[in-house]
Amino acid sequence: KPKSSEPIRVAAAADLAHAFDELKPAFSAKNRSEVTVTIGSSGLLAKQIDEGAPFDLFLAANTSYVDQVVKAGSCDGATEHTYARGRLVIWVKGADGARLSIGALAEPRFKRVAIANPEHAPYGAAARDALTKAGLWSQVSERIVYGENVQQTLELAKTGNADAAIVGLSLALAQPVGSWALVDEASYAPIDQALAVCTHGGNTAGGRKLAEFLNAPEGRAILRKYGFLLPGEAVAKVP
Amino acid sequence: MTSEAGLSVRVTGQRRTARSHFAFDVALDFAVGLNVLFGPSGSGKTTILSTIAGLLRAESGRITLAGRVLFEHQTHVDLPPDHRRVALVFQSLALFPHLDASQNVEFGVPRSVARAERLERALGWLERMRVGHLARRFPISFSGGEAQRVALARALASEPRALLLDEPFSALDRELAQELSAELIEHIASAPIPVVLVTHDRALAHRLGERVTLLRAGKVERSGSAQELLPEVE
Amino acid sequence: MTSEAGLSVRVTGQRRTARSHFAFDVALDFAVGLNVLFGPSGSGKTTILSTIAGLLRAESGRITLAGRVLFEHQTHVDLPPDHRRVALVFQSLALFPHLDASQNVEFGVPRSVARAERLERALGWLERMRVGHLARRFPISFSGGEAQRVALARALASEPRALLLDEPFSALDRELAQELSAELIEHIASAPIPVVLVTHDRALAHRLGERVTLLRAGKVERSGSAQELLPEVE
Amino acid sequence: MIDLEPLALSFEVAIVATAIASALGVALAGVLTLPRLIGREVIDSAITAPMVLPPTVLGYYLLVALGRESAIGHLFEALFGTPIVFSRGGAVVAATIGALPLITKASRAALESVDARLVDAARTLGASSLRGFLRVSLPLARRGIFAGVMLGFARALGDFGVTLMVAGNIPGRTRTASLAIYDAVLAGRDADATRLSLIMTALAIAVLVVAAHLTRSRSDDI
Amino acid sequence: MIDLEPLALSFEVAIVATAIASALGVALAGVLTLPRLIGREVIDSAITAPMVLPPTVLGYYLLVALGRESAIGHLFEALFGTPIVFSRGGAVVAATIGALPLITKASRAALESVDARLVDAARTLGASSLRGFLRVSLPLARRGIFAGVMLGFARALGDFGVTLMVAGNIPGRTRTASLAIYDAVLAGRDADATRLSLIMTALAIAVLVVAAHLTRSRSDDI
Ligand SMILES: Nc1ncnc2c1ncn2[C@@H]1O[C@H](COP(=O)(O)OP(=O)(O)OP(=O)(O)O)[C@@H](O)[C@H]1O
Ligand SMILES: Nc1ncnc2c1ncn2[C@@H]1O[C@H](COP(=O)(O)OP(=O)(O)OP(=O)(O)O)[C@@H](O)[C@H]1O
Ligand SMILES: [Mg+2]
Ligand SMILES: [Mg+2]
């Protein structure tokens, strides 16, 4: 029973933090409903949704966590779809990042390379894939330090304690400092991010509306601006 | 030979730590009025008072007070201290450091007494022990003799059915000791209960003790009048 | 009239809490040997001993021991207790509960004594105080008189230049008190230091005190021999 | 402008949780000093044990235990009509669990250090063992208990992981200052995070200092 | 098969951290009981204050303070040739910071509860104030101190957020059990997480119980 007074509660993956700064007001301007966002690790959010967390919309950083909550009956399988595809970058604190390739990470000047934990962070798994594909994994793995999510991973490099970080483009774009280079998209499995409308929140209808908004031109434009690839679009140039 | 209202103590027991052991085995009859318990250091005086008060458990025997059984090994009767109505002035005094003198004494006043009256009574007892002026002060600032008197007031205020005093005047000068023992005797006259007084002071024993028991190494050595038992007083 | 080796105390001071106030102003000269400090409960005996030991700070005046200045208000001299070499047997004894009797006494033995010898000495002092058998036991299991004797042993073991005893025999029977005071006198003979003994026991004062000082309300009332000052002993 | 709502919520939750944990912790500590208790150290350690788990994981287990599909969760929802998880109640539970071992262990140590003779004296004066506990042991153990309570309060105020899982990080409802600071970091609003951290720390110090002075002036009298 | 390396590392780090935090905390507590100290409560509260921050955020500030671009980090790297962050040393620092306030506050309360007359007695027997502290105050405060140390140990063992930031999560090097459990939960290896959590909890309880019995049997003698 959706109440119009209830805000639309969104659980969103960490790489969406910055995009939502813009998505929220854009959506609210059109729909006169309030949106509140809880940013977190998709894995933890999925577990909470399974336990009845009152979210109307779940935007994960991959597809499997959404599969999980749908299977558990906490979200509506009919609404599940990919809303964006994340892109991997190598980020360094200095200004010389634009020309970096993944191969460069083998150089000894990269004493510490930060990636998100590949065990559970989608960008981490992609980073490992890319390093493996480049034949560097065994060489570099000694120098890897794991962050729990992309944001923390970036923090390690931003504070100068890691010499490079492999993170999402969305994050790199939001940094006032540093420079980055895209990682070849053929070198890792696509980071498809799925969403689903969930049932334990008080405003399922609002969740649906927001999901639609993300798929509409205005929403897509914002996601694109923050570095995501969109379903049905070819690999585009980086803005 | 104990009167109906007296305190009869027939117990054995021991105190032990990993490194020591002390056994006692006594038969004592304390009649209403003053009874002096006399004995060298370490003979078990404090131990026996604690056993009567229920702070130490005897191993066998029986303790009765005015016909009421406080402890009986055979029938597994062992009243907790708060049900015995036996007040004990500790050798170490054991004043409550977080309560002022009047609160210390009030702690002893029976809960059956109306709240408003409790403080009255506490102050009354402090006055009788010549420490009325300490009412609002905390024990840390009491002199040795002052503390002793507050402890006495607290015990008396609890309206006990038996009163056990472990060297209650040891830190008092002679005049004061005499005044207070007079107060004590007056109190016993009005509320006839057995009072057991542990003391090393022969003069005091003579003055107070019609009945003296001599303890040695956890056993009763003799009992009788002060004249009989402690003749060699100066 | 103080001898070179004596303890001279000319101080004023006060103790106060939010709710009380006690002022003292005394001029005392304790010669080598036994000095008795006598006075009613609350007259300031403990206070003065604490001031001499450096546990309380006087407000004005001067304390010297064997010519050495322990405290002087004018020159801002105020030696900390551990530099005064004044041993104090507390009325409350203050035995260390976490140390056994021998360790308690050993604590007092000067650090200059070789480690191996310290225990020897401690045991020796316990023997002299008739509590050698308590050596390995902890204070919680001592009787009142036993604790008092361990505290005495501890003070004596510290080889003080002055010894302050606050009712050290109050929990002892007469025989024991006599034995121990004899030990004490023997000790003073071998190590000539001033000893200040606070007591309420007139008989003891008579036996021990060539020099008695009578304190009242924080002031010296009189001083002289026991015969002069305390004639009315039984 | 900085959003002060999470701060207010944090203090609200921490105060309630500290109150609950204090009552519970002191009672538990009292039980742990009972003379004939069996398994004393095991019980005590079991109360401390949750501290060794990563808070988010502890929170996850709690979420499952208190969740809407658990027995406790069902009971609670039946009684109060609203689930305990993802609510302020959940945040209070989380903070309480963080504070409890600190208060319990500190209180137990303080209670055990109280001179047994004073409790004995109370008993001979007619006090039941409960009265002896309340009127003698407790006030004499107050320093240690108070130290535990202050630690518990700080811990409750700072709880992150357990709150995150059990209460969720729901803006306006369960977003405590701790979560808001973390959020700011995640969103790259580093200045906000630092500002909120500083305010939080300063406020906590102020509260702790005032509390210490309030409790101390009482005992200075003595 | 479960990987026991993180467990061993956790205990190693926690033991070292507890030792450091105990020495530091007891010393700090001693300073906090000095009679003429100015700003006593402010210092005490400042030591407690880090508890109110979310651990990852506290860890972030520490990472900045100790990091390779900080003065401390430079100094450390110059001295030891290796940065302190992302090392076991970093994990020890993280765990120490978690344990410190617990030990300090519990110790201070216990030290303040020691009967001042006993310290006075020690002084008149020729003990310096330091010797009085070490030989009289400390042993008499042992229950409270020990409670603080045990809390500190549990806290050190369970540290997650600060360790994560300062030590990184490097398998075989700085991946403590706490991190490993968290990883397992997030990776959906719930059975692994539960197993490791149970082992961790059981071991912690065992250590706490044994430690309690060891310290208690000493004082039972008395
Ligand atoms: N907890 C205990 N464990 C072992 N022995 C103890 C314990 N308490 C006391 N004792 C011993 O029991 C004996 C009797 O002690 P008690 O305190 O009853 O003596 P007392 O007659 O009161 O002596 P005093 O006149 O010196 O106070 C003493 O030898 C004492 O050492
Ligand atoms: N800390 C304190 N603050 C205020 N007054 C105090 C303090 N300590 C003691 N007094 C008061 O100072 C006076 C002297 O105390 P002191 O302990 O020196 O007496 P005393 O001569 O040793 O007595 P007693 O023979 O009873 O031990 C007493 O009236 C006491 O109440
Ligand atoms: Mg006795
Ligand atoms: Mg005195």
Side-chain angles (χ1 to χ4, degrees), chain B residues 103-227:
Chain B
Q103 291 167 329
N104 261 281
V105 178
E106 233 187 303
F107 193 102
V109 178
R111 313 275 283 156
S112 54
V113 175
R115 210 191 167 75
E117 210 196 310
R118 275 185 236 151
L119 180 61
E120 292 280 298
R121 291 224 193 156
L123 295 176
W125 278 112
L126 287 172
E127 289 298 343
R128 287 177 78 173
M129 296 295 121
R130 315 283 186 274
V131 280
H133 59 289
L134 302 180
R136 306 289 324 276
R137 277 170 55 185
F138 289 91
I140 198 168
S141 79
F142 299 165
S143 79
E146 289 166 350
Q148 214 160 32
R149 287 176 278 162
V150 175
L152 258 170
R154 186 176 67 173
L156 285 164
S158 72
E159 299 183 4
R161 304 244 171 101
L163 184 58
L164 313 177
L165 309 173
D166 205 347
E167 311 211 21
F169 307 134
S170 66
L172 300 181
D173 48 291
R174 199 181 50 180
E175 289 78 14
L176 210 47
Q178 274 169 7
E179 279 178 50
L180 296 195
S181 47
E183 287 279 358
L184 198 61
I185 288 166
E186 193 184 304
H187 178 69
I188 297 170
S190 70
I193 56 167
V195 175
V196 183
L197 178 85
V198 169
T199 184
H200 287 300
D201 184 339
R202 281 158 196 250
L204 188 71
H206 268 268
R207 220 167 40 249
L208 299 181
E210 310 104 73
R211 289 177 298 269
V212 176
T213 303
L214 214 110
L215 209 63
R216 192 174 297 277
K219 298 221 155 45
V220 176
E221 192 169 82
R222 284 177 67 193
S223 58
S225 75
Q227 269 89 334

Side-chain angles (χ1 to χ4, degrees), chain C:
Chain C
M1 260 194 2
T2 174
S3 75
E4 256 306 88
L7 172 64
S8 156
V9 181
R10 287 151 205 291
V11 288
T12 69
Q14 52 180 333
R15 308 193 78 161
R16 52 163 68 256
T17 60
R19 296 173 180 184
S20 68
H21 175 251
F22 171 79
F24 59 93
D25 179 352
V26 292
L28 295 158
D29 287 303
F30 300 115
V32 165
L34 258 174
N35 306 268
V36 171
L37 193 57
F38 205 90
S41 174
S43 56
K45 305 180 295 297
T46 300
T47 301
I48 284 163
L49 297 195
S50 301
T51 309
I52 298 171
L55 300 176
L56 275 179
R57 171 179 270 156
E59 288 181 344
S60 77
R62 190 160 187 267
I63 303 174
T64 61
L65 172 57
R68 197 166 63 114
V69 176
L70 304 187
F71 171 82
E72 190 166 51
H73 179 66
Q74 282 204 319
T75 56
H76 300 288
V77 174
D78 184 14
L79 296 190
D82 49 322
H83 289 170
R84 295 193 177 199
R85 303 209 53 185
V86 171
L88 171 58
V89 173
F90 292 70
Q91 207 166 358
S92 62
L93 305 180
L95 291 180
F96 303 128
H98 60 299
L99 302 180
D100 68 23
S102 67
Q103 291 166 330
N104 259 282
V105 179
E106 233 187 301
F107 193 102
V109 178
R111 314 274 285 155
S112 54
V113 174
R115 208 190 169 76
E117 211 196 310
R118 273 186 238 151
L119 180 61
E120 293 279 300
R121 290 223 193 160
L123 294 177
W125 277 113
L126 286 172
E127 289 298 343
R128 287 176 79 172
M129 295 295 121
R130 315 285 186 273
V131 280
H133 60 288
L134 302 180
R136 306 289 322 277
R137 279 170 53 184
F138 289 91
I140 196 169
S141 79
F142 298 166
S143 80
E146 289 166 351
Q148 213 159 33
R149 286 176 278 162
V150 175
L152 259 171
R154 186 176 68 175
L156 286 164
S158 71
E159 298 182 6
R161 305 240 172 104
L163 184 58
L164 313 177
L165 307 173
D166 204 348
E167 312 212 21
F169 307 135
S170 67
L172 301 180
D173 48 290
R174 196 182 52 181
E175 289 78 15
L176 210 46
Q178 274 170 7
E179 280 179 48
L180 297 195
S181 48
E183 285 280 355
L184 197 63
I185 289 167
E186 193 183 305
H187 177 68
I188 299 168
S190 70
I193 57 169
V195 175
V196 182
L197 178 84
V198 168
T199 183
H200 287 300
D201 184 339
R202 281 158 195 250
L204 188 73
H206 268 268
R207 223 170 35 250
L208 300 179
E210 308 104 75
R211 291 176 297 268
V212 176
T213 303
L214 213 108
L215 209 64
R216 191 175 297 276
K219 299 223 154 50
V220 176
E221 190 169 84
R222 285 178 64 196
S223 57
S225 73
Q227 268 89 334
E228 290 164 43
L229 285 180
L230 311 167
E232 356 82 271
V233 82
E234 293 139 282

